[in-house]
Amino acid sequence: MKKVTLIMALLIVATGLAEAQNLPAKKEVMDKMVITNAYFMNKWPDTGKTIITNKERQSNIWTRAVYYEGLMALYSVNPDKAYYDYAMSWGEAHKWGLNGGVKTRNADNHCCGQTYLDLYENEKKPEMIKDLKESIDAMIASDKIDDWTWIDALQMAMPVYAKLGVITGDKKYSERMYQMYMDSKVRQGFYNSADGLWWRDKDFRPPYKEPNGEDCYWSRGNGWVVAALVRVMEIAPKDPHYKEYKKTYLAMMKALLPIQRADGFWNASLHDPTNFDGKETSGSGLFVYGMAWGVNHGLLSAKKYMPAIVKGWNAMASEAVHADGFLGFVQGTGKQPSDGQPVTYDSKPDFEDYGLGCFLLAGSEVWKMAK
């Protein structure tokens, strides 16, 4: 009798483990994206309304631009006209302009261009990318290539260069993108090939250490690089520097796999789980996005990476999404693990938009692999 009971107990445990490794159905994945996005759209019906936190900002800044990246990803798998119109309204509200104007060299200010370009491909209205192209062309006309002094910049700007190159057929965009990327990676030295991860900026390179003596690899910062590489490879698979992007992407995926938390999230500090440890959605969302995209495009082994994807998505979907669609466990803006703390289920980050963008990017790829 005891033997039978033991066998039954083992079967229950095994069944539970198996179920934990299954993705939910497509509808369930979509439902999570729809409810979180609806929460945001209902809260921000006026797409041109300024954002007020510690000060007032125009709503075409990078935080909102990342949300629209996620919205366009959602639209690609759920072509609801309301999503498209919401994105169009945002561009029109800002007259397709950039925060900082056409003379800006700041990657954060170029991030809105990713959605402008996506919409331009459908609308073919020159005014939609006029200011963006003028700004990028001015950067290319100069010899300066060291503007990306923090790794977040790669995600904010690289996809803009990649898509401009595809739309215009002009190689100058992909070449300058590569030069600036390599300046950040090699000359400024933000990438540590030994660990397959990136220091956020010069302030975090050695001798800077985390409390446990490890290097400081910030979760969301590395997530931005993952997103940059994924989006560039998807936009421009024929880019002559594709092999470099792919090599670095694969190294990062390999480095991120074993440091996923048991609960499916990643810590804010990737190599120091004791430094502001806990669940965090934005970095985790970007990593799930990168891994799911890699499996969907045949760059990663499904057998090896699906458990991490499933565990990561299920954790976010079940533990971070509130009943009303609010997204919890999102770290506020900053540059290191200590910023925006404490990060909890109920805590509201200073900006509610970019975390949702990361979640929608992940969901759009997970949806493609769900049954």
Side-chain angles (χ1 to χ4, degrees):
M1 185 66 180
K2 288 183 178 179
K3 184 176 181 181
V4 173
T5 303
L6 178 60
I7 292 173
M8 287 297 293
L10 290 173
L11 284 172
I12 291 171
V13 171
T15 301
L17 290 173
E19 289 177 350
Q21 294 303 311
N22 290 332
L23 277 177
K26 279 185 180 294
K27 183 182 183 303
E28 293 180 58
V29 176
M30 183 58 67
D31 285 348
K32 292 296 183 180
M33 289 193 285
V34 168
I35 190 175
T36 52
N37 186 65
Y39 173 89
F40 184 82
M41 286 178 61
N42 290 332
K43 186 170 182 177
W44 293 88
D46 180 357
T47 56
K49 184 179 180 180
T50 57
I51 304 169
I52 301 175
T53 55
N54 60 322
K55 68 177 185 179
E56 189 170 7
R57 297 174 175 86
Q58 294 299 311
S59 65
N60 58 350
I61 60 173
W62 73 267
T63 68
R64 190 58 50 88
V66 171
Y67 159 71
Y68 280 98
E69 288 179 57
L71 178 65
M72 294 306 290
L74 171 59
Y75 178 75
S76 73
V77 295
N78 182 358
D80 186 328
K81 188 174 183 294
Y83 300 158
Y84 189 87
D85 291 346
Y86 192 67
M88 281 292 294
S89 172
W90 180 61
E92 291 167 349
H94 296 288
K95 298 180 180 179
W96 307 103
L98 311 178
N99 185 43
V102 295
K103 293 184 179 180
T104 184
R105 297 182 65 92
N106 190 321
D108 286 349
N109 295 335
H110 290 140
C111 190
C112 61
Q114 296 189 45
T115 298
Y116 292 177
L117 287 162
D118 284 346
L119 295 169
Y120 169 81
E121 286 186 301
N122 291 327
E123 303 292 330
K124 296 295 190 290
K125 295 178 180 178
E127 65 268 22
M128 296 172 71
I129 61 171
K130 178 182 176 295
D131 285 5
L132 175 68
K133 188 173 181 298
E134 183 178 341
S135 183
I136 300 299
D137 285 348
M139 292 189 69
I140 293 176
S142 76
D143 294 327
K144 194 173 186 299
I145 62 170
D146 61 353
D147 294 272
W148 297 345
T149 56
W150 73 112
I151 60 175
D152 313 30
L154 304 186
Q155 194 285 145
M156 306 304 158
M158 285 181 69
V160 169
Y161 284 75
K163 183 152 283 191
L164 277 172
V166 170
I167 288 174
T168 65
D170 195 327
K171 296 180 180 178
K172 70 180 182 182
Y173 296 104
S174 62
E175 288 306 309
R176 178 51 62 92
M177 172 178 68
Y178 177 73
Q179 291 171 0
M180 296 180 74
Y181 160 82
M182 290 301 288
D183 183 81
S184 296
K185 180 183 180 183
V186 179
R187 191 194 66 79
Q188 296 188 64
F190 298 152
Y191 180 64
N192 184 359
S193 59
D195 287 338
L197 296 170
W198 297 64
W199 296 294
R200 198 269 182 179
D201 56 47
K202 64 181 178 61
D203 293 338
F204 296 95
R205 292 182 308 187
Y208 186 95
K209 295 291 182 182
E210 287 287 78
N212 70 346
E214 291 283 338
D215 283 6
C216 181
Y217 299 120
W218 183 42
S219 178
R220 190 165 66 236
N222 278 270
W224 291 137
V225 180
V226 169
L229 297 173
V230 162
R231 290 177 68 76
V232 167
M233 288 190 292
E234 181 165 34
I235 292 166
K238 295 181 180 180
D239 188 291
H241 305 296
Y242 180 92
K243 288 184 178 179
E244 156 59 30
Y245 304 137
K246 178 182 174 182
K247 178 183 177 182
T248 304
Y249 160 79
L250 291 176
M252 293 189 72
M253 294 296 100
K254 182 180 179 181
L256 289 164
L257 189 61
I259 57 175
Q260 184 182 28
R261 291 162 51 102
D263 61 15
F265 288 88
W266 276 263
N267 285 307
S269 181
L270 294 175
H271 277 194
D272 189 349
T274 66
N275 190 25
F276 295 98
D277 66 324
K279 302 165 185 176
E280 201 287 304
T281 303
S282 63
S284 299
L286 292 168
F287 297 150
V288 170
Y289 167 55
M291 290 180 180
W293 184 90
V295 171
N296 286 337
H297 286 76
L299 271 64
L300 297 177
S301 161
K303 181 179 180 181
K304 186 174 183 180
Y305 283 89
M306 276 299 290
I309 295 167
V310 171
K311 191 163 62 173
W313 174 258
N314 286 344
M316 292 187 295
S318 64
E319 299 180 44
V321 179
H322 288 227
D324 64 356
F326 173 76
L327 193 65
F329 295 115
V330 175
Q331 185 182 13
T333 55
K335 56 187 281 184
Q336 58 189 324
S338 61
D339 289 329
Q341 296 289 347
V343 177
T344 68
Y345 176 72
D346 293 313
S347 64
K348 290 189 176 183
D350 47 356
F351 297 85
E352 290 185 52
D353 40 19
Y354 60 85
L356 175 57
C358 300
F359 182 76
L360 295 177
L361 286 170
S364 66
E365 289 298 325
V366 170
W367 180 88
K368 295 173 186 176
M369 57 176 54
K371 295 181 180 179

